[in-house]
């Protein structure tokens, strides 16, 4: 149990990361610091960390950034990786998560990085196999490593060292998350973590993509968490603006007026300049340029979207090392 009373789920490997709620702020700080330290190491020293260890990347959904980030993170530490996707394995033939998991274990996998279209699948896999499982996104539930890299990017923008991760680290900072909140595991993990660091989180979007009932998804965060329908009003309060894409593949019959959405919620240069000229701009990717964000903003001076990717590699190196050496003190 850490400084803020969080403890890992019982019955799962101590090296797992299933939900951002499982991490204490001490653990958050440790991972962020360790990621920076690993990135600064000489190549020869770093690749010895997990030399010869075996990591399975089990992806039931398409992914570029997260999958590549975890793969490069593992290889940067000397581990061997294998990719198993639903398009090129027995999963396509109907094999169950259990059978796939125990098969990977029997083949020598020591850690599984799982992306699934089913919420809760990483915890199920962790309990069934006993292996450390890293949640790379499960349905509309969570994306914990994304929340960690997002916090690291924010700390860098504000000039705060990662050692200073406390309940007041982001006090008086306002983070506006805008877009398809209904279907976003990124929004959920960030909304679970950021208020614990003192940030005020404003979710912004139309009713179709942000139902009022979303306030009930994160009980206990009180006034640090709210909904605002007026994007420009929210922007005027923002220290951080995080844009999310509209997940068309998950709309399931919901009607969305795209032209009206662009008019009301697109982050373009004039809107940013007039409403939030000093705010950090973020996006977890993939971006749909011209829909939720314009290219001049995505590539502009306030954007740290590429830094998010860089910090993602570092955070995931630290998570993989933690997964495979959970009881050892990192040298």
């Amino acid at each position: 149990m850490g400084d803020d009373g969080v403890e890992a789920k019982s019955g799962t490997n101590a090296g797992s990361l299933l939900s951002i709620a499982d991490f204490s702020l001490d653990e958050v700080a440790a991972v962020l610091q360790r990621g920076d330290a690993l990135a600064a190491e000489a190549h020869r020293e770093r690749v010895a960390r997990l030399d010869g260890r075996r990591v399975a990347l089990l992806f039931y959904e398409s992914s570029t950034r997260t999958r590549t980030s975890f793969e490069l993170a593992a290889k940067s530490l000397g581990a061997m990786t294998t990719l198993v996707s639903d398009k090129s394995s027995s999963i396509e033939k109907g094999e169950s998560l259990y059978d796939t998991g125990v098969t990977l274990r029997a083949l020598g996998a020591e850690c599984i990085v799982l992306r699934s279209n089913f919420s809760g699948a990483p915890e199920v896999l962790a309990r069934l196999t006993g292996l450390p499982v890293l949640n790379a996104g499960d349905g509309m539930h969570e994306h914990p490593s994304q929340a960690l890299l997002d916090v690291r990017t924010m700390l860098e923008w504000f000039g705060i060292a990662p050692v200073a991760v406390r309940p007041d680290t982001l006090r008086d900072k306002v983070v506006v998350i805008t877009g398809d909140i209904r279907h976003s595991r990124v929004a959920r993990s960030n909304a679970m973590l950021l208020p614990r660091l003192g940030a005020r989180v404003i979710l912004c979007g139309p009713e179709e993509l942000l139902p009022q009932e979303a306030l009930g998804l994160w009980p206990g965060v009180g006034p640090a968490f709210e909904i605002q329908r007026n994007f420009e009003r929210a922007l005027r309060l923002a220290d951080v603006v995080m844009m999310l894409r509209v997940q068309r593949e998950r709309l399931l019959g919901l009607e969305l007026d795209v032209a009206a959405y662009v008019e009301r919620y697109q982050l373009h240069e004039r809107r940013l300049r007039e409403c939030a000229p000093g705010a950090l701009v973020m996006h977890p990717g993939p971006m749909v340029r011209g829909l939720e964000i314009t290219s001049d903003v995505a590539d502009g001076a306030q954007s740290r979207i590429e830094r998010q990717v860089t910090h993602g590699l570092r955070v995931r190196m630290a998570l993989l090392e933690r997964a495979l050496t959970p009881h050892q003190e990192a040298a």
Side-chain angles (χ1 to χ4, degrees), residues 53-306:
R53 307 298 293 274
R54 297 175 181 178
V55 176
L57 307 172
L58 178 54
F59 276 65
Y60 286 80
E61 290 183 339
S62 298
S63 170
T64 300
R65 287 158 192 79
T66 303
R67 191 203 74 202
T68 306
S69 182
F70 268 113
E71 182 172 9
L72 290 177
K75 290 180 176 178
S76 295
L77 297 173
M80 297 182 292
T81 65
T82 185
L83 172 65
V84 182
S85 77
D86 63 335
K87 302 296 190 298
S88 58
S89 69
S90 293
I91 297 169
E92 192 175 26
K93 303 174 183 177
E95 184 172 69
S96 70
L97 178 64
Y98 169 76
D99 287 323
T100 300
V102 296
T103 297
L104 291 174
R105 184 182 63 189
L107 289 170
E110 299 170 82
C111 173
I112 299 177
V113 178
L114 174 64
R115 168 162 289 187
S116 174
N117 51 339
F118 292 106
S119 299
E123 182 174 353
V124 171
L125 185 64
R127 292 183 183 280
L128 289 174
T129 64
L131 295 175
V133 173
L134 301 180
N135 182 357
D138 60 327
M140 296 183 288
H141 182 226
E142 277 208 60
H143 198 344
S145 65
Q146 182 71 43
L148 291 169
L149 72 90
D150 286 343
V151 164
R152 183 66 188 92
T153 306
M154 292 179 204
L155 294 180
E156 181 178 65
W157 174 264
F158 294 123
I160 301 171
V163 67
V165 178
R166 300 184 297 266
D168 62 349
T169 295
L170 294 178
R171 179 178 293 169
D172 299 325
K173 304 299 184 186
V174 177
V175 181
V176 175
I177 305 177
T178 302
D180 190 355
I181 311 294
R182 178 191 288 268
H183 304 108
S184 177
R185 52 198 173 209
V186 173
R188 185 180 182 92
S189 288
N190 271 290
M192 293 172 71
L193 178 58
L194 291 170
R196 293 169 56 201
L197 276 67
R200 175 184 175 193
V201 177
I202 299 176
L203 302 182
C204 190
E207 183 77 28
E208 302 95 311
L209 302 180
L210 176 56
Q212 197 66 29
E213 293 79 11
L215 286 173
L217 295 177
W218 302 283
V221 297
F225 177 59
E226 61 193 86
I227 286 176
Q228 172 60 257
R229 302 292 178 192
N230 187 310
F231 186 33
E232 294 189 357
R233 186 176 300 164
L235 277 179
R236 294 185 192 279
L237 300 172
D239 296 291
V240 178
V241 185
M242 184 182 297
M243 302 304 297
L244 304 174
R245 74 180 178 94
V246 175
Q247 299 188 38
R248 297 174 184 270
E249 71 275 16
R250 300 189 198 274
L251 290 181
L252 299 176
L254 287 174
E255 294 295 328
L256 182 69
D257 185 329
V258 175
Y261 181 84
V262 168
E263 175 65 25
R264 293 179 62 193
Y265 295 106
Q266 184 185 80
L267 186 61
H268 50 68
E269 192 276 334
R270 178 194 59 78
R271 185 168 270 159
L272 182 64
R273 171 170 38 86
E274 293 181 359
C275 300
L280 164 64
V281 174
M282 303 175 69
H283 196 305
M287 287 184 286
V288 183
R289 292 172 183 256
L291 181 54
E292 74 270 9
I293 192 169
T294 58
S295 289
D296 52 1
V297 173
D299 302 327
Q302 292 172 241
S303 171
R304 291 296 181 272
I305 295 171
E306 285 190 24

